């Protein structure tokens, strides 16, 4: 089954065609990130206008790539939230138009579930070989993105139990705000902060930043105090930025790894799935893999390309959680900017 998917939740405009939820047949992506860098954050109105400009070229480019594969499209999938309302509307209306024009059902998708399903896509595909990853349930999913940090128990496709999440800033947001405090980047500074941290030869701040909520008996997180601790050190003491970056990154990873592994042990899971932009963090990937495998739990995290926002995993999430909406019910598909990981679509 081939699903044509559209993702426009924030500042990326993306389309893809994915076969059986695991094989990427075609994909295209445009981003307005550079504009938001110059303004130091997303201006929703500008992001939405850029979505309008990009949506048709991106759809065309994806269809052009797909046209060489002589196969049909069976359904359309689209992100309905969470995200920016103006951006979401552009993708949703385009998806409805395609569903009507092609006479195919529409599948609404929760962007956060998409981040988890990036793990189901096969990688390094050789010509004509398909190896489906044998991801076993129950699994713990850690979603770490710019706007969300959630720990979820997945008993089966579509059968989720919420364990906890951030009570204030998301992990990615903490990376971005700290990168700004260190004057590394104005917008989406996670990668640059991590690169800076890697330059640190000796962490002379070891243990000076809090590991928020690490000793609390729950699966919640809090990252806003960490950012305040960074601010205080920068204002009052003179540590090189790579040392501050290193201690910050260690603090975030300590908490994320500790609580994820704690949940994995408590629920006796077979797999841990990590997804979202922060899943691209090298330390987080390495430490979770090491700790999971020491417990004989399979650890999955997407290739770097599939950690950031794109439409490929939207099609995968649509395939494994298929809630088809028929053509006479398209008006029921509406944007939901504040959708949570547990909300059904
Ligand atoms: O999932 P995503 O692309 O967008 C949202 O859905 O929010 O996540 C973007 C977030 C940003 O906060 C960005 O700084 C962070 O992911 N990020 C990283 C790394 N790469 C991206 N954070 C830490 N280390 C990285 N290597
Ligand atoms: Zn995302």
């Amino acid at each position: 089954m081939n699903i044509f998917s559209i993702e426009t939740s924030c500042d990326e405009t993306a389309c893809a065609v994915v076969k059986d939820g695991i094989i990427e047949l075609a994909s295209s992506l445009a981003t307005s990130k550079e504009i938001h860098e110059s303004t130091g954050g997303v201006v929703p109105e500008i992001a939405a206008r850029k979505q309008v400009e990009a949506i048709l070229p991106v759809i065309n480019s994806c269809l052009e790539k797909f046209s060489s594969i002589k196969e049909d499209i069976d359904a359309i999938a689209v992100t309905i939230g969470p995200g920016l309302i103006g951006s979401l509307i552009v993708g949703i209306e385009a998806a409805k138009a395609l569903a009507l024009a092609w006479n195919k059902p529409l599948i609404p998708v929760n962007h956060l579930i998409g981040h988890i399903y990036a793990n189901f896509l096969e990688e390094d595909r050789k010509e004509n070989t398909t190896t489906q990853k044998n991801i076993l349930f129950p699994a713990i999913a850690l979603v770490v993105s710019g706007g969300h940090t959630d720990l979820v128990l997945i008993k089966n496709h579509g059968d989720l139990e919420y364990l906890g999440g951030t009570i204030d800033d998301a992990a990615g947001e903490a990376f971005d705000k700290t990168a700004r405090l260190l004057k590394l980047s104005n917008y989406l500074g996670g990668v640059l902060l991590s690169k800076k941290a890697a330059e640190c030869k000796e962490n002379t701040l070891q243990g000076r930043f809090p590991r928020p909520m690490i000793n609390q008996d729950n699966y919640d997180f809090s990252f806003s105090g960490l950012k305040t601790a960074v601010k205080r050190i920068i204002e009052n003491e003179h540590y090189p930025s790579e040392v501050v970056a290193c201690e910050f990154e260690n603090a975030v990873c300590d908490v994320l790894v500790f609580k994820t592994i704690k949940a994995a042990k408590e629920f006796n899971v077979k797999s841990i799935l990590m997804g979202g932009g922060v899943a691209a963090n090298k330390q987080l990937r390495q430490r979770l893999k090491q700790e999971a495998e020491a417990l004989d739990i399979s650890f999955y995290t997407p290739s770097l390309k599939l950690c950031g926002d794109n439409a490929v995993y939207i099609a995968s999430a649509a395939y494994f959680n298929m809630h088809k909406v028929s053509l006479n019910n398209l008006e029921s598909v509406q944007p939901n900017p504040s959708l949570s990981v547990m909300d059904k679509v």
Side-chain angles (χ1 to χ4, degrees):
M1 177 184 191
N2 295 332
I3 297 183
F4 182 87
S5 55
I6 300 182
E7 151 65 40
T8 63
S9 63
C10 185
D11 54 359
E12 262 92 26
T13 314
C15 292
V17 184
V18 175
K19 189 183 185 74
D20 299 336
I22 60 166
I23 303 163
E24 176 182 331
L25 297 179
S27 78
S28 287
L29 185 142
T31 178
S32 59
K33 202 162 73 181
E34 290 74 27
I35 298 168
H36 311 302
E37 258 156 28
S38 66
T39 47
V42 185
V43 178
E45 174 69 24
I46 294 177
R49 282 194 212 173
K50 289 288 150 192
Q51 292 287 1
V52 173
E53 281 173 28
I55 190 77
L56 290 181
V58 169
I59 289 174
N60 276 334
S61 141
C62 183
L63 288 177
E64 224 164 82
K65 290 176 196 171
F66 180 62
S67 65
S68 61
I69 304 163
K70 304 265 175 273
E71 291 191 30
D72 290 331
I73 286 164
D74 302 294
I76 322 287
V78 66
T79 301
I80 61 152
L84 303 170
I85 182 104
S87 291
L88 288 166
I89 285 172
V90 177
I92 292 171
E93 292 310 309
K96 286 180 184 175
L98 287 178
L100 284 172
W102 295 342
N103 196 21
K104 303 290 172 196
L106 184 62
I107 307 171
V109 176
N110 181 332
H111 178 87
L112 300 171
I113 300 296
H115 273 307
I116 298 171
Y117 277 82
N119 287 296
F120 285 77
L121 286 143
E122 64 163 24
E123 282 153 24
D124 304 325
R125 183 167 187 245
K126 313 258 178 329
E127 207 60 36
N128 294 327
T129 57
T130 307
T131 43
Q132 183 163 5
K133 290 183 202 167
N134 189 22
I135 297 181
L136 299 176
F137 296 120
I140 290 291
L142 171 66
V143 181
V144 267
S145 72
H148 296 83
T149 302
D150 291 307
L151 259 185
V152 179
L153 173 66
I154 309 184
K155 296 170 197 162
N156 209 331
H157 296 295
D159 186 2
L160 273 58
E161 186 184 322
Y162 186 72
L163 301 181
T166 184
I167 58 167
D168 43 53
D169 290 354
E173 196 177 351
F175 266 96
D176 297 340
K177 287 178 176 169
T178 302
R180 192 172 301 165
L181 287 171
L182 290 172
K183 299 194 169 43
L184 297 172
S185 161
N186 255 342
Y187 180 59
L188 304 185
V191 187
L192 292 177
L193 187 139
S194 191
K195 276 197 184 135
K196 186 48 86 178
E199 290 171 19
C200 178
K201 299 273 184 292
E202 189 192 354
N203 180 6
T204 47
L205 273 171
Q206 175 63 41
R208 289 280 303 278
F209 289 164
R211 273 55 178 166
M213 302 183 82
I214 199 163
N215 292 317
Q216 289 190 17
D217 192 18
N218 58 38
Y219 292 111
D220 288 333
F221 302 95
S222 164
F223 294 109
S224 73
L226 194 47
K227 173 200 66 199
T228 312
V230 172
K231 192 162 182 277
R232 252 191 236 120
I233 286 278
I234 293 174
E235 283 170 0
N236 302 318
E237 301 182 44
H238 298 283
Y239 283 92
S241 52
E242 63 271 22
V243 175
V244 179
C246 173
E247 172 61 2
F248 168 82
E249 186 177 53
N250 290 353
V252 175
C253 290
D254 281 355
V255 184
L256 290 173
V257 171
F258 183 84
K259 292 219 166 176
T260 306
I261 294 296
K262 182 177 148 172
K265 282 187 194 159
E266 180 179 340
F267 295 97
N268 204 10
V269 298
K270 297 197 166 71
S271 319
I272 294 176
L273 314 173
M274 176 165 68
V278 184
N281 185 272
K282 205 169 158 189
Q283 180 183 158
L284 191 56
R285 296 167 82 88
Q286 283 173 350
R287 288 179 56 185
L288 266 178
K289 181 176 160 61
Q290 208 171 7
E291 296 213 17
E293 288 177 356
L295 294 168
D296 225 4
I297 296 170
S298 304
F299 174 67
Y300 299 91
T301 194
S303 63
L304 295 189
K305 188 183 104 185
L306 290 180
C307 289
D309 291 347
N310 65 79
V312 182
Y313 60 63
I314 297 302
S316 181
Y319 179 84
F320 289 105
N321 302 269
M322 214 171 304
H323 307 291
K324 283 188 195 165
V325 174
S326 61
L327 292 183
N328 56 13
N329 201 18
L330 286 185
E331 69 277 15
S332 69
V333 180
Q334 294 293 335
N336 184 347
S338 55
L339 204 66
S340 85
V341 69
M342 293 303 294
D343 285 331
K344 294 262 181 253
V345 292

